[in-house]
Amino acid sequence: MSTPNLKTASRLDPIKPSITLAVTAKAKALKAAGVDVISFGAGEPDFDTPDHIKEAAKAGLDRGVGKYTEVGGIAPLRAAIAGELGRVHGMTIAPEHVLVSAGAKHSLFNLFMALLDPGDEVVIPAPYWVSYPDMVMLAGGKPVIVEGRAEDDFAIRPEALRAACGPRTRALVLNTPSNPTGAVYSAAQIAALAEVVVEQNLLVVSDDIYRSLVYGGATYSSIAAVGPELAARTILIDGVSKAYAMTGWRIGYAAGPAPIIKAMSKIQGQSTSNAAHISQVATLAALTGPQDCVETMRQAFDERRLAMVELLRAIPGVTCREPKGAFYAFPDVSAFVGKSTADGKVLADDVALCDWLVEGAKVAVVPGSGFGAPGHVRLSYACSMANIREGVRRLHEALVGLRG
Ligand code: PMP
Ligand code: GLU
């Protein structure tokens, strides 16, 4: 018998597994084994999906929901999304220019697959959400990383964007509020980037998944709303996972120029078909039902945000900017990199530090190098106040106990 050839495609060679999912899975496995781990890993609200959304899904099941739908999503949902995004971004969106997918992650994947030829470049500001560079590479494109500076609250400067552009640059990824930094671009910063976008003839991938979660006077600014020239070159990526505590329902959506949405629909039609029918029905209820649930959760996140930042800043050697949106704190822990544990293990980088923290201190945080920002760690504060207190206490005790 010949040996089976189990070689996988070389296009996967540069692709890393998602570190956010890996850290979360590790914490869950330790918990399942009876270890008392506190996880700040998952970018996932701890709240249950609001009752009226669950009720709409139950009623849907009773009336026979559960069939294939149009690839792009059921008509009332696309109309609701078009209406909502139209209001937020100050433009008119036709329902045919909306594509509903299995999570915003899926929308982004479809988009990069639809957009990129081999060697096409996409500018990704760092720190970035883990999956952007890998998705671009999977699609055959080349991520071009532009580093935001801490003193600019990690917003990239227009001149840095200009310098990163070349003849193959197709798009800029803009994620505000940002995962992992919680930074929110100001209207002036957005306007300045918009000028370069037009000058360099780029498209914009506007990942707005956290736009409803802003705090302390910060406001979300839309690049599409800068003017018709921007609206015509922006692909809006949005979804219900974060704002409505619906991560597991797997619904995200894209809205944008017709040829791009059409190409993304073709990919989806040849791969996954429609997003789950029942989840589309639940999403329709989320978008058209009462919105006070979003505000209630936002206020809870805000309280947790303030508590977590205060506790992190109390750790000698840690510096932590104030996150203004999303639900992550992103402290600088570089002072601890290179230090040793009580049993003599040197923590050579933020990955080693995080491994040691979960195993030794029973607290799971995500290493900054996964987001293109070594020397930092990401903590999600979408968890209970009790977990924040106890988890950051463990972190504090562990870090101040390091030597050297
Ligand atoms: N974009 C960003 C910045 C995110 O943090 C997430 C959450 N993982 C997503 C997109 C995708 O979210 P989902 O697939 O759950 O809609
Ligand atoms: N977006 C979340 C996070 O960053 C969920 C996990 C993922 O899809 O990466 O943690």
Side-chain angles (χ1 to χ4, degrees):
M1 201 180 86
S2 54
T3 316
N5 179 359
L6 304 180
K7 184 192 166 302
T8 56
S10 50
R11 101 174 72 82
L12 287 171
D13 294 350
I15 308 300
K16 303 170 294 303
S18 162
I19 189 132
T20 47
L21 297 182
V23 168
T24 309
K26 184 164 186 180
K28 273 194 183 151
L30 283 168
K31 256 186 227 164
V35 182
D36 160 39
V37 175
I38 291 185
S39 177
F40 296 126
E44 173 165 57
D46 60 331
F47 295 107
D48 236 4
T49 301
D51 282 341
H52 69 279
I53 300 174
K54 289 197 274 192
E55 290 309 322
K58 288 181 200 165
L61 284 177
D62 290 339
R63 46 161 220 279
V65 160
K67 303 290 187 199
Y68 289 133
T69 73
E70 302 89 306
V71 168
I74 54 175
L77 177 58
R78 291 166 97 181
I81 294 166
E84 155 99 1
L85 297 187
R87 268 189 305 282
V88 170
H89 300 283
M91 58 199 275
T92 305
I93 297 174
E96 312 81 78
H97 298 171
V98 171
L99 173 69
V100 180
S101 301
K105 205 171 192 171
H106 187 207
S107 307
L108 286 161
F109 182 77
N110 283 338
L111 173 57
F112 292 128
M113 289 298 285
L115 207 58
L116 301 177
D117 271 327
D120 279 351
E121 296 178 2
V122 176
V123 176
I124 302 176
Y128 47 74
W129 177 45
V130 272
S131 296
Y132 298 136
D134 292 85
M135 282 193 201
V136 167
M137 287 190 285
L138 261 178
K142 187 173 160 222
V144 175
I145 308 300
V146 174
E147 288 190 20
R149 304 183 197 177
E151 70 259 35
D152 296 333
D153 205 21
F154 294 119
I156 60 162
R157 295 183 179 185
E159 58 272 22
L161 173 59
R162 184 177 291 114
C165 290
R168 301 295 307 268
T169 316
R170 295 291 320 270
L172 163 71
V173 175
L174 198 59
N175 174 221
T176 177
S178 153
N179 176 3
T181 65
V184 178
Y185 276 78
S186 70
Q189 286 170 326
I190 292 279
L193 286 182
E195 260 184 49
V196 182
V197 162
V198 174
E199 170 202 292
Q200 300 290 324
N201 196 16
L202 306 182
L203 300 178
V204 182
V205 178
S206 185
D207 182 347
D208 306 316
I209 193 95
Y210 296 103
R211 74 178 152 77
S212 322
L213 301 174
V214 287
Y215 316 103
T219 49
Y220 165 79
S221 301
S222 155
I223 193 160
V226 167
E229 230 186 332
L230 271 300
R233 58 177 71 243
T234 300
I235 301 99
L236 302 168
I237 302 289
D238 216 316
V240 285
S241 286
K242 315 289 176 174
Y244 296 91
M246 290 179 69
T247 45
W249 296 83
R250 308 307 303 128
I251 294 285
Y253 25 88
I260 291 175
I261 295 295
K262 216 170 138 194
M264 292 167 67
S265 306
K266 182 154 83 174
I267 293 166
Q268 187 163 309
Q270 291 288 30
S271 51
T272 60
S273 304
N274 61 277
H277 192 182
I278 190 67
S279 299
Q280 294 188 52
V281 168
T283 300
L284 181 60
L287 296 182
T288 56
Q291 298 299 303
D292 46 322
C293 55
V294 179
E295 177 57 14
T296 306
M297 290 189 271
R298 191 197 66 80
Q299 281 176 15
F301 293 143
D302 193 10
E303 280 170 29
R304 298 163 183 191
R305 169 184 80 105
L306 296 171
M308 183 178 262
V309 169
E310 193 183 325
L311 291 167
L312 287 170
R313 286 178 175 167
I315 307 174
V318 169
T319 55
C320 186
R321 300 160 28 265
E322 183 190 337
K324 311 244 173 52
F327 38 55
Y328 308 103
F330 199 59
D332 181 333
V333 295
S334 51
F336 302 95
V337 171
K339 290 200 170 186
S340 314
T341 64
D343 50 7
K345 188 175 172 204
V346 179
L347 303 175
D349 55 26
D350 55 312
V351 177
L353 178 68
C354 291
D355 279 346
W356 173 74
L357 283 170
V358 72
E359 270 148 34
K362 312 283 180 269
V363 59
V365 301
V366 189
S369 46
F371 306 98
H376 292 72
V377 292
R378 190 193 79 174
L379 295 84
S380 162
Y381 51 82
C383 59
S384 71
M385 202 61 114
N387 273 8
I388 290 174
R389 293 222 173 83
E390 173 57 16
V392 183
R393 191 198 62 74
R394 290 181 191 183
L395 189 70
H396 191 140
E397 194 178 280
L399 291 178
V400 298
L402 289 173
R403 301 168 182 181

